Amino acid sequence: MTEKITLITGGGRGLGRSAALALADAGQDVVITYRASADAAAEVVAEIQAKGRKAVALPLDTTEFDAFPAFVAALRETLTATWGRDSFDHLFNNAGIGITTPVGQTTAEQIDQLFDTNVKGVMLLTEALLPVIADGGRILNVSSGLVRYTAGAPYGAYAATKGAIEVWTRYLAAGLGARGIAVNALAPGATATDFGGGYLMSDEFQKQVSSVTALGRGGQADDIALAVVTLLSPSARWINAQRVEASGGAYL
Ligand SMILES: NC(=O)c1ccc[n+]([C@@H]2O[C@H](COP(=O)([O-])OP(=O)(O)OC[C@H]3O[C@@H](n4cnc5c(N)ncnc54)[C@H](OP(=O)(O)O)[C@@H]3O)[C@@H](O)[C@H]2O)c1
């Protein structure tokens, strides 16, 4: 892989952290953002620097839409100071939240929280970053296996946010093709992270996931990180406007 810079939202922990480390292993430099996980983000940066690659962490709340211009300005300064560049190559829109919303008990506040973080923030941040993404670059959005299969009714509102991202991914790809920018959506199956309060890591949940997954186990953050590396590698240059599921074959 030739040297590229990837910007990862929510890179301090979970899938963003694993992707940052795996991209560094694959020869990429990274800018990660963090909201609450400042210390964890600093550890990721130190780990990547120890691998001999460049990494920087910047604060960003993806629901503070009015602060996006200031974030873009800070990013531009960072790119110039650290890489002597005025652009970056790949945007990995990873930051997201999960809230379970049982049918009949879903509130307006829950819907706003989910859509502000998983849809509106992703769309507006991407719009704000378009001038800084290099022509020929890539955008990778994060969807979910839950868009294809229904693992339980309480995931409906969350899955709807990811369904929106899948549709928008195709339109964004149509709009950015002239700049040579490919846009895809990666849809992880259930993966053991802190997501949604940590229930994904419980033995009971992992056992249930294993029983509905063709490859016979639950997903680990490294499984998704390798899929991210693949989709942001030169080998994937002709993959555009696609939903790629990484679930080990869940709910076939
Ligand atoms: N784990 C799964 O099973 C799974 C499956 C399918 C899709 N996904 C998707 O994968 C992505 C990452 O999930 P994960 O499993 O890594 O979850 P996680 O461990 O809970 O991490 C969530 C990440 O998102 C960041 N974040 C959340 N709200 C934010 C906000 N308002 N502004 C900025 N950053 C924010 C967090 O940053 P701070 O810690 O700094 O706040 C954290 O880095 C999400 O989009 C999720 O929907 C996960």
Side-chain angles (χ1 to χ4, degrees), residues 9-16 33-38 60-63 93-97 117-118 142-145 158 162 187-196 200:
T9 60
R13 61 192 176 89
L15 302 185
T33 74
Y34 60 91
R35 177 193 50 170
S37 307
L60 173 71
D61 185 327
T62 58
T63 60
N93 277 317
N94 164 76
I97 57 166
T117 311
N118 294 356
V142 178
S143 177
S144 168
Y158 167 75
K162 297 301 189 179
T191 309
T193 67
D194 294 335
F195 194 67
L200 293 165

Side-chain angles (χ1 to χ4, degrees), residues 7-222:
L7 171 62
I8 303 173
T9 60
R13 61 192 176 89
L15 302 185
R17 173 185 183 278
S18 293
L21 296 171
L23 286 165
D25 285 338
Q28 294 202 28
D29 292 343
V30 296
V31 178
I32 62 170
T33 74
Y34 60 91
R35 177 193 50 170
S37 307
D39 291 347
E43 283 172 25
V44 174
V45 166
E47 237 181 287
I48 290 173
Q49 288 171 343
K51 293 173 186 286
R53 301 246 50 105
K54 292 179 186 164
V56 176
L58 296 175
L60 173 71
D61 185 327
T62 58
T63 60
E64 288 188 3
F65 317 126
D66 292 344
F68 289 174
F71 173 74
V72 172
L75 175 64
R76 283 187 184 279
E77 277 178 31
T78 297
L79 291 168
T80 305
T82 309
W83 286 275
R85 285 184 57 176
D86 58 5
S87 65
F88 66 98
D89 303 289
H90 306 144
L91 171 60
F92 179 36
N93 277 317
N94 164 76
I97 57 166
I99 303 172
T100 47
T101 53
V103 172
Q105 298 171 40
T106 306
T107 66
E109 191 190 2
Q110 289 173 326
I111 292 173
D112 283 346
Q113 276 182 304
L114 281 166
F115 275 83
D116 277 359
T117 311
N118 294 356
V119 181
K120 196 172 171 185
V122 174
M123 293 172 72
L124 291 176
L125 181 67
T126 303
E127 293 277 339
L129 288 170
L130 286 179
V132 201
I133 300 175
D135 288 356
R138 308 258 175 94
I139 297 172
L140 184 59
N141 297 320
V142 178
S143 177
S144 168
L146 292 168
V147 173
R148 176 179 63 81
Y149 51 79
T150 306
Y155 300 122
Y158 167 75
T161 67
K162 297 301 189 179
I165 284 300
E166 288 192 11
V167 173
W168 176 68
T169 293
R170 292 197 294 277
Y171 280 81
L172 192 62
L176 294 177
R179 290 182 54 193
I181 296 174
V183 189
N184 293 293
L186 175 64
T191 309
T193 67
D194 294 335
F195 194 67
Y199 71 97
L200 293 165
M201 291 196 286
S202 71
D203 289 345
E204 190 187 346
F205 187 81
Q206 284 297 315
K207 201 171 157 194
Q208 192 270 329
V209 171
S210 306
S211 72
V212 294
T213 301
L215 291 181
R217 64 174 175 83
Q220 300 299 314
D222 285 359

